[in-house]
Amino acid sequence: MSIDWNPETKEFHLRNDRISYLVRVLENGALGGLHFGPALARERSYRHLSQGEFHGFSNRLGDPVALEYPTGGTGDYRVPALTIEAADGSTVLELAYVGHRIWPGKAPIPGLPSTYVERDDEADTLEIVCADTASGAEVRLSYTIFCDLPVVARSVRVRNAGTEPLRLLCVMSASLDLPDTDWDLVHLAGTWARERHVTIDRLQPGRRSISSFRGASGHEHNPFLALRRAWTTEAAGEAVGFSLVYSGNFLGEVEVDPFGTARVRLGIAPEGFSWRLDPGAEFAAPEAVLVYSDAGLGWLSEAYHRLYRERLARGAWRDRPRPVLINNWEGTYFDFTEEKLLEIASVAHDLGIELFVLDDGWFGERNDDTRSLGDWFVNRRKLPGGLNQLARRIEALGMAFGLWIEPEMVSQRSRLFVEHPDWAIGVPGRPRTEGRNQYVLDMSRPEVVDHLFAVLSDVLRSAPVSYVKWDMNRNITEPYSLALPPDRQGEFFHRYILGVYSLYERLMAAFPAILFESCAGGGGRFDPGLLAFAPQAWTSDDTDAIERLKIQWGTSLCYPLSSMAAHVSAVPNHQVGRVTPLATRAAVAFFGVFGYELDPTTMSAEERRGVADQVGFYKKHRHLFQRGRFVRLRSPFEGDGNETAWMTVAADSRQAIVGHYRILNRPSPGPGRLRLRALDPNASYRVSLWPATGDPIEQAGALVRGGDELMNVGLFLGATGDSPVIRGDFAARLFILEAIG
Ligand code: DGJ
């Protein structure tokens, strides 16, 4: 790994064994982009890759020049990365190279989560300083290349080095000009209960964007996109990934110009954003993480998984095995007593479950969703001995205790709202829009964050709480802060998210032993920003096993198994009414951070035996399910979507578990085979099935198979639909592979 600067040719070359990233200083001082892709030889110049110089109207000079951090107003009519309004109202900017710095390691971004290194030899960083003399804007572009990953992390800081105030209107975290448009845009789209479905569009002339203006990254789009060639598969071909370490309003956009080039930009959504930058002040934009893969979408995902699991997530729980939990939400909703909770916990403990999580409804007068958010004191009618008594009784059973909170919200019917109506976001003189009967607190105000830190600290000190589920159930309307002057209202959304991050930071520092799980009406804020604080997130409110195939497949494009909470719930499923076998529900939820979301006291003895078996199986293979290499094999988004298959593989390839799911059974199926990946071709694997049934397929599968055969010929799925395991709809089987010898 290295970063070279060639003063003769004025080129920067960031390089490791897999990738090269090349930037060049053009004649007029602007930065040109030369290459982001496979590793190129160090000692050569690649200056010629950028044809011509940029002096405006690049389309008349031949090839459009690839610009590294484009600005507007001087003839590049593509979409800019940076727009600043100067004191005279003009928005013309001409950034020119001033200097640079290269150092081993990586620096944090003030106030924002970001990837990090533990040792300076894990990454090198280049910071290029550019300035616009007329306005006094000084821009620092930071690039970190990681040693053994195909990753470049970019971030941007803008400082006002002039004497007049500046107004930032758009500050993208990254912009990348690509020399051709022969790409598909891959992104994750959806809504509540069907988040992060893989969506693929061919690039077309014009601009195509994904975004959020909701105050959260949102259920609808994720701050992640990738470009892939039409012929790229999971295992082969080029792909470039763009992921934003941010939880608020974002924009990801691809512009295809008439000359066959593509510009990708990613950052805080410019819509509704502005930031007053007084002389001497600095603004830091969030980090964008770029990945180049020459080995398909699978390798792109693996790079994100490793980086986000090991060098974005922080705290004591980053590397620790996560507990199998039971959450009472779908089991009781708001209707519970201490005794009921203890009954659930007691049965759950007998089944091997390790953590009991008390969800919504434990505080204030919260018997439904119409009141009490903000009143973070225990409801003594439900829990007469308080949280402490409940938690201690649960601990006495041998389980840990976890708690749900929704810090950012306030109900109109709450003491907090009576005391501080001005803390609820709204515009004076306009009605506030309610969502789920609640308002959003103005997290941009430090006194709101201070208050929440104080009351939540009291709650977390009042009982032995080892896990917190931090929910957020509605998006922002009437964006406005009473604490900001009129010319700073454009800062509101970003300041809101900075407030959320600061509350997380303070609670994590005060309660370092607590495992945080983020949640936003399911997966409405499943993003890298929050993963830095909460190493796992509630993937979706949809707990139906069949719906989860698509949700978990899509989520895995960018996010590791250790981040995806997945629970078995009761049937008929509460979101879609589907009835699936208990084993299928577990076989899907195993691939992530496993738990239950039901009332086990209502289960039959046979179902309880099934749960005990599932919990035991998961615990035995927990490391593989939470930290194994996740390999996608058969997509629920391709063909008729009737089958899905994926696997998790140990780092040394000596163990793997394959999940195969078939939605509808069909008469007279052909002999099915599934080619695996990431195994050791020279190893011999013993193949067994879960659940074990002793049927002929299992006996055939229990044969010892070579890694080469399993990858090149395939795993035998069986020709008959008559097996008791695979008969019927919504069938799932897990194949456990263990290398022998
Ligand atoms: C939405 C979450 O996603 C659910 O799991 C549950 O915690 C409810 N909120 C509680 O209000």
Side-chain angles (χ1 to χ4, degrees):
M1 175 192 49
S2 63
I3 299 180
D4 295 331
W5 161 244
N6 183 336
E8 308 290 302
T9 60
K10 294 205 162 70
E11 280 167 83
F12 297 101
H13 189 163
L14 295 79
R15 187 186 191 285
N16 64 23
D17 289 346
R18 313 275 313 214
I19 56 163
S20 280
Y21 193 109
L22 281 133
V23 178
R24 175 195 156 195
V25 181
L26 303 175
E27 296 303 320
N28 65 347
L31 296 180
L34 295 179
H35 170 79
F36 177 41
L40 299 174
R42 280 183 67 178
E43 54 284 353
R44 298 209 176 93
S45 167
Y46 299 93
R47 188 183 161 82
H48 54 276
L49 290 177
S50 168
Q51 302 280 329
E53 294 296 338
F54 177 69
H55 293 291
F57 298 101
S58 53
N59 52 346
R60 287 202 285 123
L61 297 177
D63 290 344
V65 172
L67 296 173
E68 187 59 21
Y69 200 63
T71 53
T74 59
D76 177 46
Y77 292 112
R78 292 165 293 179
V79 66
L82 179 70
T83 307
I84 301 178
E85 189 181 274
D88 64 3
S90 68
T91 53
V92 178
L93 268 186
E94 279 183 292
L95 289 180
Y97 169 83
V98 173
H100 71 269
R101 212 157 60 92
I102 294 169
W103 72 92
K106 184 175 191 294
I109 304 175
L112 286 165
S114 58
T115 58
Y116 58 88
V117 292
E118 290 199 331
R119 294 187 328 266
D120 280 350
D121 63 359
E122 291 177 7
D124 283 336
T125 299
L126 160 70
E127 186 180 82
I128 308 177
V129 184
C130 302
D132 175 66
T133 328
S135 65
E138 186 184 273
V139 177
R140 284 168 195 272
L141 301 174
S142 168
Y143 301 80
T144 296
I145 182 162
F146 285 83
C147 177
D148 53 2
L149 289 173
V151 172
V152 173
R154 291 180 57 174
S155 62
V156 177
R157 292 200 213 173
V158 185
R159 196 172 78 85
N160 185 347
T163 52
E164 301 289 333
L166 299 174
R167 179 171 300 281
L168 309 182
L169 300 177
C170 168
V171 188
M172 285 292 120
S173 297
S175 174
L176 188 74
D177 283 355
L178 295 164
D180 73 83
T181 63
D182 200 5
W183 299 98
D184 292 336
L185 168 64
V186 182
H187 62 101
L188 304 173
T191 185
W192 174 79
R194 57 174 162 81
E195 298 91 339
R196 292 176 298 287
H197 281 207
V198 176
T199 308
I200 300 175
D201 308 317
R202 196 79 196 129
L203 288 192
Q204 299 288 342
R207 283 156 64 176
R208 171 83 173 86
S209 64
I210 54 166
S211 60
S212 167
F213 308 119
R214 298 166 176 266
S217 47
H219 297 87
E220 289 68 20
H221 296 288
N222 196 262
F224 163 81
L225 63 92
L227 298 179
R228 65 147 209 211
R229 301 296 185 187
W231 53 91
T232 295
T233 63
E234 282 291 330
E238 280 192 303
V240 190
F242 302 81
S243 163
L244 190 67
V245 185
Y246 193 57
S247 311
N249 292 350
F250 74 92
L251 173 76
E253 187 168 69
V254 187
E255 179 180 15
V256 169
D257 79 353
F259 306 98
T261 73
R263 171 169 293 171
V264 186
R265 58 179 195 153
L266 182 67
I268 293 177
E271 183 136 337
F273 168 85
S274 69
W275 194 276
R276 193 179 87 198
L277 206 59
D278 289 331
E282 186 176 72
F283 177 82
E287 178 168 79
V289 177
L290 277 56
V291 169
Y292 171 79
S293 166
D294 57 1
L297 284 172
W299 171 234
L300 178 128
S301 298
E302 196 183 329
Y304 280 117
H305 293 179
R306 279 168 53 188
L307 185 68
Y308 286 177
R309 190 178 59 221
E310 285 153 29
R311 293 294 181 267
L312 175 64
R314 295 176 296 166
W317 282 96
R318 184 189 73 179
D319 301 332
R320 286 179 62 186
R322 311 287 169 67
V324 177
L325 67 78
I326 185 155
N327 178 306
N328 72 310
W329 178 240
E330 288 195 17
T332 66
Y333 293 105
F334 295 101
D335 185 17
F336 57 81
T337 59
E338 179 171 335
E339 292 315 312
K340 177 68 199 166
L341 298 178
L342 282 161
E343 276 172 35
I344 294 176
S346 166
V347 176
H349 175 256
D350 290 348
L351 302 177
I353 297 172
E354 299 158 315
L355 165 68
F356 175 86
V357 178
L358 173 55
D359 209 278
D360 197 351
W362 58 267
F363 51 91
E365 302 293 318
R366 185 87 167 162
N367 297 318
D368 55 32
D369 66 10
T370 62
R371 62 176 75 202
S372 293
L373 288 168
D375 294 346
W376 300 111
F377 45 84
V378 75
N379 179 325
R380 296 265 166 188
R381 271 198 292 281
K382 290 184 187 178
L383 304 176
L387 286 176
N388 192 37
Q389 177 173 299
L390 173 67
R392 298 231 174 257
R393 290 178 74 186
I394 282 175
E395 281 199 331
L397 293 171
M399 293 177 99
F401 177 72
L403 192 64
W404 176 98
I405 54 174
E406 193 175 6
E408 298 153 69
M409 300 293 154
V410 63
S411 307
Q412 194 170 1
R413 289 155 81 186
S414 68
R415 286 194 206 168
L416 182 66
F417 188 75
V418 171
E419 283 163 23
H420 295 287
D422 60 313
W423 284 5
I425 292 168
V427 184
R430 288 185 186 276
R432 290 187 181 97
T433 305
E434 274 192 334
R436 207 199 188 202
N437 309 303
Q438 64 200 51
Y439 298 139
V440 189
L441 288 173
D442 184 353
M443 298 293 287
S444 76
R445 292 171 73 162
E447 67 271 36
V448 173
V449 175
D450 288 346
H451 165 82
L452 290 171
F453 177 66
V455 293
L456 293 172
S457 295
D458 285 348
V459 169
L460 299 178
R461 266 194 296 265
S462 74
V465 178
S466 70
Y467 157 108
V468 165
K469 176 179 173 187
W470 177 323
D471 205 346
M472 196 278 295
N473 279 298
R474 62 154 291 184
N475 292 141
I476 293 173
T477 53
E478 293 83 36
Y480 191 85
S481 174
L482 287 173
L484 292 173
D487 70 337
R488 284 197 178 272
Q489 290 298 330
E491 302 174 17
F492 165 73
F493 276 116
H494 183 57
R495 288 187 184 275
Y496 178 94
I497 283 297
L498 293 180
V500 172
Y501 290 152
S502 111
L503 184 58
Y504 255 113
E505 189 86 55
R506 289 168 69 179
L507 287 172
M508 272 179 81
F511 302 94
I514 288 181
L515 166 61
F516 284 89
E517 176 167 321
S518 76
C519 174
R525 212 164 51 179
F526 200 122
D527 58 60
L530 283 192
L531 278 189
F533 303 97
Q536 61 189 60
W538 182 221
T539 309
S540 174
D541 270 346
D542 198 331
T543 52
D544 173 68
I546 303 306
E547 294 300 313
R548 276 294 186 120
L549 292 172
K550 286 185 171 169
I551 295 169
Q552 291 175 207
W553 177 286
T555 304
S556 80
L557 253 60
C558 186
Y559 304 101
L561 290 176
S562 58
S563 68
M564 272 192 251
H567 300 170
V568 171
S569 62
V571 291
N573 176 265
H574 292 199
Q575 291 76 40
V576 294
R578 189 175 286 128
V579 178
T580 53
L582 184 59
T584 298
R585 284 173 264 156
V588 176
F590 282 157
F591 289 81
V593 181
F594 185 61
Y596 290 82
E597 181 111 4
L598 42 69
D599 178 356
T601 65
T602 62
M603 293 180 123
S604 68
E606 191 190 341
E607 285 174 324
R608 288 191 199 183
R609 274 195 298 278
V611 170
D613 174 51
Q614 293 167 2
V615 174
F617 179 79
Y618 184 82
K619 284 182 181 168
K620 181 171 172 206
H621 299 288
R622 184 178 349 225
H623 192 76
L624 265 183
F625 284 128
Q626 295 184 353
R627 306 187 68 85
R629 177 176 168 195
F630 188 64
V631 178
R632 294 179 297 263
L633 298 171
R634 200 164 278 179
S635 171
F637 297 100
E638 284 172 15
D640 64 4
N642 198 46
E643 281 182 72
T644 298
W646 54 43
M647 64 192 286
T648 173
V649 189
D652 62 3
S653 296
R654 293 193 58 80
Q655 283 184 313
I657 298 180
V658 180
H660 177 257
Y661 312 90
R662 194 204 50 218
I663 298 179
L664 296 182
N665 195 12
R666 286 180 179 150
S668 309
R673 283 197 178 142
L674 179 68
R675 285 189 186 192
L676 308 183
R677 297 209 306 278
L679 299 176
D680 175 354
N682 300 315
S684 298
Y685 292 89
R686 185 179 308 286
V687 183
S688 56
L689 257 96
W690 184 92
T693 59
D695 80 359
I697 291 170
E698 184 176 351
Q699 287 161 24
L703 294 173
V704 171
R705 305 285 179 89
D708 53 352
E709 180 195 327
L710 290 167
M711 291 194 288
N712 297 317
V713 180
L715 188 68
F716 181 55
L717 293 174
T720 122
D722 295 335
S723 153
V725 199
I726 56 170
R727 224 174 134 67
D729 296 333
F730 316 129
R733 280 181 302 166
L734 301 186
F735 298 85
I736 301 108
L737 276 54
E738 273 156 318
I740 50 176

